[in-house]
Amino acid sequence: MKRAVECLILGVALLAGCSDSGSDTAGATSETTNGIAVAVYDVNRDPIPQARVTLYSKADFAVVNSAVANDSGLAHFDSLAEECSSGNCFVEGIAGADSALMNWSEFKPTISETEIATQIELAPSASLTLRTGATTDEEVFEFLRLKSTPYMASRSGSDYVFAHVPAGMFTVVAGDSAVATFSLEAGAEADTLVNVPGKTLEYVFEDFDDGDSLNNLAKNYRNYGWYYIASGTAIWIKPDSVGGFGGAIVDGVRGKHLSLQFDLGDSGYVLLGTHLGLDTGYYDLGALTAIRMKVRGDCDFSFALEHYKDLGDNNFQKSLWHATADTTWKEFVFRPGKEKLNASVYQVEWKNIAHEIGFVSIFVSSGSFLEIDEIVFEGIDSVEAPAP
C-alpha cells in the first residue's frame, strides 16, 4: 500500500490544428470545426480508444458534456459551452473496467483557427480508504468527498471508501470542513486512520517503548509477556539465550522497537507470541475494527489472534492475516472479516472467536529478519478484565 507519494502532474498541451495538406500530426483532425477535440493517451503516449471524456462545471460539478474517444483516441464535441471555453470546467477521462484508468484535471482548452483542442493522460486509478476507528455501527460523517471533484465516499461500517479515484493531490472534506489531505500515486491503495476527536477509539497493545517483555495490557492485568519459539530446522539469532527478549528491543530513529533475527534452515519457522491473560483467561475483542502495525523485514509473516481454548496438542482456533514485509518501514492494516481461512490448520472466521481471544501470535516462514513497532487495536480504547 503506497501512501504519501508525488502528485501526478497532468500535462495540458495544444494539439496541432488541421491543415490543407491533411497532416496526421497527433491531435489534428478534419472532423471537427469550431468544436472540441480531446485526445486521450496512456502513460506510454498510446491513444486510448473508447475512453469516456466528461466536462464538469466548476460551479456545481454538473455534467456539461460528454463523449467517447474514437479508435484514434479522440473524443469529439460539436460545441463548447461558454463556461468551459472560459476555463470554468474540469475534464475527466475514464477507461477500462472498474475505471482502471482515470484523469481529473482543469480543462484548459487551447483555441486554434479551426478548433479547440487539448489532451489528457490517463493513469491507473487509485483507491482511498479512511478508517475512523469508531464503533462499526456509528456514522461518523454524513458524507465525504474529494474537494473540487464529484467523487464521494461510500460507507463500510466505520470506514469511508473511495474505490476508484484519479491519482493526484486531494483534500477530503465533510461539508465545508477539511478532514485530511492525501497525495495518491497512480495505482495506489491507500488505507489510513483519520483521528476524529470523540469518535476514534484505539488501544496501543505494544510499542516496546518500556523495553521489557510484557505487552502493554500487563500494566493493568497480569500476563506472561512475550515468548519466542523455533520449530523444525529454525533457530533464533536474536533474541538469544543470553540477552533474552529484552536483548531484541533496540533503539533507532523511531525510538525503541523489536528487532528479530533468525535462521529458518531448510524447513523451519519461528513464532513470536504473547498471552493476553493468564492461562485460560480471555478477552472480548468483538468491537475491533482493524489491527495496524509497523513492520520492516525481508520475510513473509502472519499475524494471528487466537482463541483461548486448547483443542489438543497445543492447537488453537485462530483468525490469521498474511503479509510480506519490506526492507523499508511500512504500516500494515489487518481487518476483521478479511482473514485467511483454512480449517485444516484451525484458521477460522473472526466472528467465531472474536469474543474469546487468548493470544497474539506472529508466524514467520521465510527470510532472516523482522522488525516490529506499534501494534495498535482500532475500534477499542481499553480492554476489560479477562474472564477467568
Side-chain angles (χ1 to χ4, degrees), residues 45-383:
R45 302 302 297 165
D46 294 324
I48 305 177
Q50 304 306 307
R52 303 177 298 282
V53 178
T54 305
L55 301 178
Y56 288 84
S57 167
K58 283 186 178 180
D60 56 7
F61 303 108
V63 173
V64 176
N65 211 336
S66 62
V68 176
N70 62 19
D71 291 342
S72 299
L74 291 172
H76 294 297
F77 298 85
D78 292 335
S79 61
L80 185 63
E82 177 62 29
E83 61 186 316
C84 292
S85 61
S86 59
N88 291 318
C89 286
F90 290 103
V91 59
E92 174 191 64
I94 296 178
D98 290 329
S99 304
L101 300 175
M102 295 185 73
N103 163 285
W104 176 265
S105 58
E106 289 191 45
F107 181 64
K108 298 178 180 178
T110 303
I111 303 175
S112 70
E113 292 182 357
T114 55
E115 64 182 4
I116 301 171
T118 190
Q119 57 181 328
I120 58 176
E121 181 180 283
L122 273 57
S125 60
S127 67
L128 173 61
T129 299
L130 300 182
R131 308 187 312 276
T132 65
T135 56
T136 55
D137 59 349
E138 184 175 10
E139 183 182 76
V140 179
F141 302 106
E142 182 177 358
F143 64 86
L144 290 179
R145 65 179 177 88
L146 300 186
K147 186 178 180 179
S148 300
T149 80
Y151 305 125
M152 306 286 292
S154 61
R155 181 185 167 215
S156 177
S158 62
D159 299 341
Y160 292 80
V161 181
F162 296 90
H164 302 284
V165 293
M169 180 73 76
F170 297 103
T171 297
V172 179
V173 295
D176 295 326
S177 300
V179 173
T181 298
F182 297 93
S183 185
L184 299 175
E185 186 181 51
E189 296 179 1
D191 187 344
T192 190
L193 178 73
V194 173
N195 195 297
V196 183
K199 301 290 186 180
T200 297
L201 305 175
E202 55 182 343
Y203 180 79
V204 181
F205 176 72
E206 181 62 280
D207 53 14
F208 305 104
D209 287 345
D210 53 18
D212 63 26
S213 64
L214 297 176
N215 61 62
N216 288 339
L217 196 58
K219 295 175 181 178
N220 297 314
Y221 309 115
R222 290 181 59 202
N223 62 57
Y224 300 116
W226 290 96
Y227 54 85
Y228 45 100
I229 298 171
S231 180
T233 58
I235 59 172
W236 281 102
I237 299 173
K238 190 169 67 173
D240 59 20
S241 58
V242 177
F245 187 83
I249 298 177
V250 300
D251 287 306
V253 294
R254 305 175 52 81
K256 286 185 171 64
H257 64 272
L258 184 65
S259 179
L260 306 173
Q261 298 177 23
F262 39 83
D263 182 347
L264 301 181
D266 295 329
S267 57
Y269 72 89
V270 293
L271 164 64
L272 175 72
T274 182
H275 288 259
L276 299 190
L278 296 174
D279 298 326
T280 59
Y282 60 83
Y283 292 78
D284 185 348
L285 299 185
L288 191 70
T289 58
I291 306 120
R292 74 175 189 267
M293 59 190 297
K294 293 182 173 65
V295 170
R296 189 175 80 91
D298 65 350
C299 60
D300 294 323
F301 71 98
S302 297
F303 182 94
L305 294 173
E306 302 196 57
H307 195 253
Y308 78 98
K309 187 177 294 184
D310 190 345
L311 300 176
D313 298 325
N314 207 33
N315 291 311
F316 301 83
Q317 288 186 318
K318 62 181 68 65
S319 288
L320 180 143
W321 298 265
H322 183 74
T324 299
D326 199 315
T327 53
T328 58
W329 283 101
K330 179 180 178 181
E331 184 177 82
F332 288 87
V333 179
F334 304 121
R335 295 177 174 278
K338 296 186 178 181
E339 54 277 358
K340 302 290 185 181
L341 303 180
N342 187 343
S344 66
V345 288
Y346 312 104
Q347 294 171 208
V348 300
E349 291 184 76
W350 171 248
K351 64 182 181 181
N352 293 342
I353 63 172
H355 301 287
E356 298 178 338
I357 299 300
F359 305 87
V360 168
S361 299
I362 297 172
F363 302 89
V364 182
S365 56
S366 68
S368 63
F369 82 99
L370 180 68
E371 297 184 335
I372 303 170
D373 198 9
E374 295 180 17
I375 302 174
V376 181
F377 296 159
E378 296 179 7
I380 58 177
D381 60 359
S382 63
V383 180

Side-chain angles (χ1 to χ4, degrees), residues 2 5-6 8 43 123-126 166-168 184-189:
K2 298 179 181 178
V5 292
E6 291 185 358
L8 177 66
V43 294
S125 60
L184 299 175
E185 186 181 51
E189 296 179 1

